[in-house]
Every structure is written in structure tokens, then in C-alpha cells.
Amino acid sequence: MTSKETISILRYIAEAYPHFDITEQRVAVWIEQLKEVNYEKAFAKLKKHVSQCKFPPTISEIYVQEEKSRVNRAHLEKMRKLRGEDFYERYYADFGNEVQY
């Protein structure tokens, strides 16, 4: 998320919660903490929070962590090199022929 996007989130919070003050220190902390967060997903979470909670959100309440792939690509690539690319093609071709629906 960019600095401008973080500031727009803070402004949205200030409009929804009149006692929420935007200070220089708060802006700096929020920018630092949200720099790796997807703006659209965080803003969607913020809107949901505003509609359900009477207190302003904390950073952790709108923080969205991207899901990481469970596939270990480095290991997969290493195994392909060790066995040879054609091993996987043969394996899946044989496997596909055995499965009947």
C-alpha cells in the first residue's frame, strides 16, 4: 500500500469515528505497518469494521496478510532436475490412463 492509500484509510476512519485523531506519529506508524498490505483488501476489511464496530480499528484489525503458496517451488524444481523432466510427463500420462471415471 502506498503512503497516499494509507492516508486515505486514516481519513476514512476519522470521518467514521469523530474522536479518531490523525497525528504525524500515527500516520508514520500506519504507513510503516501497512506498506506490504493490499489496499483494496484492507479497505474492504475497514468498511466491514466500520459497519459493525463502534470503536475505530487498530492496524491489526484491517491488516491483510497474503496467503503463501504451500508448494515449495525450489524443492519441486530440484526434484525435476534430479529425475529428469520426462519422468513427470510419463508418470502423469500413466496415472491418467489408469484412472477411470
Side-chain angles (χ1 to χ4, degrees):
M1 178 179 315
T2 66
S3 298
K4 287 182 179 184
E5 291 170 334
T6 302
I7 292 169
S8 74
I9 281 182
L10 289 169
R11 286 183 178 155
Y12 191 91
I13 295 169
E15 289 298 320
Y17 301 96
H19 298 292
F20 184 85
D21 297 324
I22 300 176
T23 63
E24 286 184 36
Q25 294 85 2
R26 180 169 279 166
V27 170
V29 169
W30 281 63
I31 287 172
E32 177 188 347
Q33 293 297 313
L34 297 178
K35 63 185 173 188
E36 300 297 324
V37 175
N38 179 285
Y39 173 74
E40 288 79 19
K41 291 179 181 179
F43 194 73
K45 216 170 167 182
L46 171 62
K47 291 196 303 187
K48 183 176 181 180
H49 179 92
V50 168
S51 70
Q52 297 176 348
C53 300
K54 62 181 180 177
F55 298 106
T58 61
I59 292 170
S60 64
E61 290 173 313
I62 64 166
Y63 192 94
V64 179
Q65 187 168 0
E66 295 294 323
E67 290 185 31
K68 294 181 180 178
S69 174
R70 291 182 169 192
V71 176
N72 184 337
R73 301 249 182 242
H75 178 73
L76 183 61
E77 194 60 36
K78 182 178 177 181
M79 294 305 294
R80 284 187 172 155
K81 286 179 182 176
L82 287 173
R83 292 191 172 175
E85 205 59 45
D86 63 327
F87 168 81
Y88 292 97
E89 292 171 9
R90 286 193 320 259
Y91 174 77
Y92 287 115
D94 292 342
F95 180 76
N97 292 334
E98 293 178 14
V99 176
Q100 296 183 9
Y101 296 100

